[in-house]
């Protein structure tokens, strides 16, 4: 049996008492032909392997280069040196894989995040990405734990669909038709009846519509899967492929929905604080170092961990869209014409600079905005009595902007079909969705949390490309 090894993280929690162990990992550094800092990805902390002078042949020592992979057997003893509590005194050392130092692009020094993005296949071997992706894992686990404990059913909604849940037309087409000579109808249009699925299909932008079918049978469901948007947004908050969590609850109104979303976000933060303390401390330190380069007024008032604690311990600010427009209109920022997009008044869509002003400058905490004008929201949202607004809610987070989008759904068949007509959404295509309104309709609501934006919030990473393993963005699908 080969895999009889102790993980470095577990090893470092033990007391050094001469115990014999085997560790395997990648070399971070090798000093004085004697001290190897070995990392196995379980923690940013390395185990220091100590070789005795003359113990191993020079030929072998030469091959201990940065990122070579090793198997080391030895005994654990209290360290004589500063900086670590234990050493692994090697008795056997085997090189599992050599690493040509001349060709290996990662050196034991600080690299920029931009450079690391170009070598995303290797960046997990850095401390920063080690921390980020261990936290990402933890948050994903916590998503399931949270909903499982509440009795929600995890539903796998389709990746390939024929519908546009958001009605925004930002879809990637899925087809097996030949590009050079697709079949055409008599009118000369591409004939999707001849396509693989017998109709035009695309990658899903959201699992919500199918989620509603589940909620109106199980009561409460959630989805957690990849979603795709062909929007040409080259920003630090947009991906063409991102993961979304979408709970959907029957017998639930807008306020219940907001309560659940707030509880959920706080749960995820609390879970990371409890289970990823070491990685959060590392990232917090990293962020503090980075901010030292910024002018005083651009630095954050709170460190990463303090920010997370603050969010955990304070209620999110709730207000309506209408109230938000008033605040923006009356702000000095607006009066001094500092917004790039002018505040034109009620009915306008909020730009991310407006959202960030509300969250970062005005309230200085997460904000839940509700009851938006129906014109700027999707067809499925419940229409309010005023005839102008819908029961929508967005959660805005400091440093991120929109992190959650959700709503109470229009459960009244006549109101829903009326709105679909106004928005030119063909009823025939959504017959199955409308059936839920025909057969025992119920008040229901749900929301979508952008998983990468949540990981960004918890890790403090400024660019969304640095919290997903292999980002897909306009012009880029490497790896
Ligand atoms: O606001 P959105 O478009 O809402 C929906 O898709 C609804 N069907 C959700 C629901 O009610 N079940 O997207 C939800 C969240 C956003 O708040 C944002 O966090 C994230 O998904 N998101 C993106 N994240 C990364 N890159 C993109 N291009 C994103 N677009 C949306
Ligand atoms: Mg949205």
């Amino acid at each position: 049996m080969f895999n009889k090894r102790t993980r470095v993280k577990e090893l470092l929690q033990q007391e050094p008492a001469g115990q014999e162990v085997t560790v395997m990992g990648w070399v971070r550094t090798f000093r004085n032909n004697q001290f190897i800092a070995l990392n196995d990805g379980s923690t940013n902390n390395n185990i220091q392997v100590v070789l005795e002078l003359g113990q191993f042949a020079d030929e072998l020592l030469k091959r201990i280069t940065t990122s070579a992979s090793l198997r080391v057997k030895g005994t654990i003893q209290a360290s004589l040196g500063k900086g670590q509590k234990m050493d692994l005194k090697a008795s056997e050392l085997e090189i599992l894989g050599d690493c040509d130092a001349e060709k290996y692009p990662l050196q034991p020094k600080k690299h920029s995040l931009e450079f690391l993005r170009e070598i995303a296949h290797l960046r997990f071997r850095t401390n920063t990405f080690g921390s980020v992706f261990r936290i990402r894992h933890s948050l994903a686990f916590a998503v399931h734990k949270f909903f499982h404990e509440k009795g929600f059913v995890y539903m796998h909604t389709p990746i390939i669909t024929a519908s546009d849940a958001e009605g925004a037309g930002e879809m990637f087409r899925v087809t097996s038709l030949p590009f050079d000579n697709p079949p055409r109808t008599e009118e000369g249009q591409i004939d999707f009846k001849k396509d693989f699925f017998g109709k035009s299909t695309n990658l899903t932008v959201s699992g919500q519509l199918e989620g509603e079918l589940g909620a109106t049978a199980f009561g409460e469901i959630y989805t957690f899967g990849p979603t795709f948007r062909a929007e040409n947004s080259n920003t630090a908050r947009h991906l063409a492929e991102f993961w979304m969590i979408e709970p959907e609850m029957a017998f639930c109104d807008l306020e219940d929905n907001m309560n659940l979303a707030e509880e959920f976000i706080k749960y995820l933060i609390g879970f990371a604080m409890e289970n990823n303390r070491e990685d959060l401390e590392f990232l917090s330190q990293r962020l503090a170092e980075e901010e030292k380069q910024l002018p005083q007024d651009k630095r954050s008032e709170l460190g990463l961990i303090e920010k997370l604690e603050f969010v955990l311990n304070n209620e999110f600010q709730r207000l309506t869209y209408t109230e938000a427009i008033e605040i923006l209109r009356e702000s000095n920022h607006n009066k001094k014409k500092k917004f790039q997009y002018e505040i034109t008044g009620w009915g306008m869509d909020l730009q991310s600079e407006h959202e960030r002003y509300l969250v970062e400058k005005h309230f200085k905490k997460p904000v839940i905005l509700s009851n938006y004008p129906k014109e700027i929201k999707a067809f499925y949202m419940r229409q309010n009595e005023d005839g102008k607004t819908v029961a929508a809610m967005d959660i805005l987070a400091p440093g991120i902007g929109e992190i959650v989008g959700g709503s109470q759904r229009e459960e009244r068949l006549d109101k829903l079909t009326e709105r679909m007509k106004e928005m030119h959404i063909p009823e025939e295509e959504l017959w199955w969705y409308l059936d839920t309104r025909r057969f025992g309709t119920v008040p229901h609501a749900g929301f979508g949390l952008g998983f990468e934006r949540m990981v960004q919030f918890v890790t403090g990473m400024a660019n969304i490309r640095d919290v997903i393993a292999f980002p897909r963005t306009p012009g880029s699908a490497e790896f």
Side-chain angles (χ1 to χ4, degrees), residues 377 394 402 404-405:
K377 289 290 180 186
D394 276 6
E402 181 190 331
V404 159

Side-chain angles (χ1 to χ4, degrees), residues 165-166 205-208 229 231 237-248 377 380 394-395 402-407 409 446-453 464:
E166 292 304 300
V205 295
S206 154
Q208 179 197 323
R229 306 250 169 128
E231 55 186 323
R237 320 255 172 269
H238 287 88
L239 291 165
E241 175 179 302
F242 64 99
W243 287 66
M244 186 158 42
I245 297 120
E246 295 184 277
E248 191 70 34
K377 289 290 180 186
Y380 51 71
D394 276 6
I395 301 187
E402 181 190 331
I403 193 162
V404 159
S407 67
R409 318 306 188 190
F447 63 85
L449 171 74
F451 188 56
E452 283 75 18
R453 292 192 188 173
I464 199 163

Side-chain angles (χ1 to χ4, degrees), residues 24-27 38 63 65 67-71 94-99:
M24 302 189 209
W26 294 267
V27 175
L38 197 68
R63 293 169 59 203
T65 53
S67 244
S69 49
L70 307 185
R71 187 176 73 90
E94 183 189 346
I95 305 224
L96 298 173
D98 290 285
C99 182

